[in-house]
Amino acid sequence: MIKLYRLLATLIVLLLTSCAYMPSGPSMIALAAPGSGKSFDQFHNDDMKCKQFSQEEVSEISANKTSAWIVQQRYDFSYLQCMYAQGHRVPID
């Protein structure tokens, strides 16, 4: 009987932790052309740096079971702000 309870408890924990959402990347991207005076290699390096920055920004809210839409939105904003701060072009609504 104890084994059944352990199995059930393990199953519940797995189901609850599977709800955490972590974006795999931005849903919108900085424009494919580097900012003024930047090479494509600099653009690529900044892109990787900003994706890492955005991942760190959303890791805490993702662990708090925040909705996937909110996590993705926060990731996108962090990514675009980072790319803009690096001097690259970003889409404007």
Side-chain angles (χ1 to χ4, degrees):
M1 192 67 161
I2 292 174
K3 287 184 179 182
L4 179 60
Y5 286 124
R6 284 186 183 165
L7 179 62
L8 185 58
T10 303
L11 182 60
I12 289 171
V13 168
L14 287 174
L15 288 173
L16 289 175
T17 57
S18 67
C19 295
Y21 172 78
M22 187 60 73
S24 60
S27 64
M28 55 180 79
I29 59 169
L31 301 180
S36 299
K38 296 249 184 177
S39 70
F40 184 76
D41 287 336
Q42 288 171 312
F43 175 83
H44 178 70
N45 290 335
D46 290 342
D47 177 60
M48 298 304 288
K49 182 180 5 174
C50 289
K51 286 178 180 176
Q52 177 65 36
F53 169 76
S54 300
Q55 198 76 23
E56 292 168 3
E57 287 291 304
V58 300
S59 62
E60 185 177 318
I61 64 168
S62 179
N64 293 331
K65 308 290 189 264
T66 306
S67 78
W69 184 82
I70 291 173
V71 174
Q72 185 68 53
Q73 186 179 33
R74 177 94 40 104
Y75 183 100
D76 291 342
F77 288 150
S78 297
Y79 174 77
L80 290 176
Q81 287 174 341
C82 180
M83 288 299 282
Y84 183 76
Q86 299 298 323
H88 298 287
R89 301 179 190 128
V90 297
I92 300 174
D93 288 336

